[in-house]
């Protein structure tokens, strides 16, 4: 009997996905992925450290669309949007969720690393230091189980 390639791939990915989650573990020693990936309906009351957009004070976004939307609405000193690209996930942040780092760069300026947390219904409205932010013109899809009254 020939092995099913999809079943083999799934069998390899499940342990890897569990190994990537390095946040607080329940008392059983197992990581609760559902809890870690659940969206915050409100802004959690946690101690934040550092400037907005740092690992200790990440940008709150509603899903990957929200991350890209926030970065696309940033404006450099010349009024133009910066270039940005996703570096990858970097670990668990102060809200207890996985963080992503993005490279952000204005023309002729050094690149910056901006840290974002995509598991929020209440999104960040302030710009990171050195940038302005423009209003959203086109609504983006809501990610996950956000209530319609969450902003």
């Amino acid at each position: 009997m020939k092995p099913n390639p999809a079943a083999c791939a799934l069998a390899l990915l499940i342990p890897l996905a569990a190994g990537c989650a390095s946040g607080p573990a329940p008392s059983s020693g197992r990581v609760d992925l559902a809890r870690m990936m659940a969206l915050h309906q409100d802004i959690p009351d946690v101690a934040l450290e550092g400037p907005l957009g740092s690992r200790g004070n990440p940008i709150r976004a509603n899903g990957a669309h929200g991350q890209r939307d926030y970065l696309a609405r940033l404006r450099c000193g010349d009024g133009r949007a910066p270039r940005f690209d996703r570096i990858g996930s970097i670990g668990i942040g102060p809200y207890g969720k996985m963080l992503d780092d993005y490279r952000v760069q204005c023309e002729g300026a050094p690149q910056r690393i901006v840290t974002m947390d995509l598991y929020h219904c209440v999104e960040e409205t302030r710009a990171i230091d050195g940038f302005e932010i423009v209003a959203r013109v086109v609504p983006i899809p809501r990610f996950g189980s956000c209530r319609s009254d969450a902003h």
Side-chain angles (χ1 to χ4, degrees):
M1 182 170 170
K2 196 173 189 178
N4 180 334
C8 291
L10 188 58
L12 289 172
L13 290 176
I14 290 173
L16 289 175
C20 289
S22 58
S27 59
S28 69
R30 300 183 80 138
V31 174
D32 185 346
L33 289 176
R35 183 170 180 254
M36 185 182 82
M37 296 180 73
L39 293 160
H40 289 296
Q41 294 292 327
D42 301 299
I43 300 172
D45 185 19
V46 298
L48 300 173
E49 296 178 3
L52 183 63
S54 65
R55 186 174 185 146
N57 189 2
I59 302 295
R60 294 182 322 276
N62 181 244
H65 284 97
Q67 288 179 326
R68 290 187 298 275
D69 176 74
Y70 177 89
L71 294 167
R73 292 185 298 115
L74 288 176
R75 293 296 176 263
C76 302
D78 63 5
R80 297 183 348 198
R83 291 185 312 273
F84 62 88
D85 65 296
R86 184 176 180 273
I87 297 169
S89 297
I90 61 165
I92 305 300
Y95 297 113
K97 310 294 183 181
M98 185 63 69
L99 299 176
D100 293 330
D101 269 355
Y102 281 81
R103 274 186 284 275
V104 178
Q105 187 170 25
C106 295
E107 188 68 36
Q111 94 176 357
R112 293 182 52 182
I113 303 299
V114 176
T115 303
M116 305 187 83
D117 183 332
L118 63 85
Y119 297 101
H120 293 272
C121 293
V122 181
E123 300 177 87
E124 185 57 61
T125 58
R126 301 169 293 161
I128 56 175
D129 289 342
F131 290 83
E132 299 290 324
I133 193 162
V134 297
R136 180 178 288 146
V137 178
V138 178
I140 62 169
R142 298 302 283 173
F143 174 69
S145 59
C146 292
R147 299 184 310 252
S148 60
D149 64 338
H151 302 294

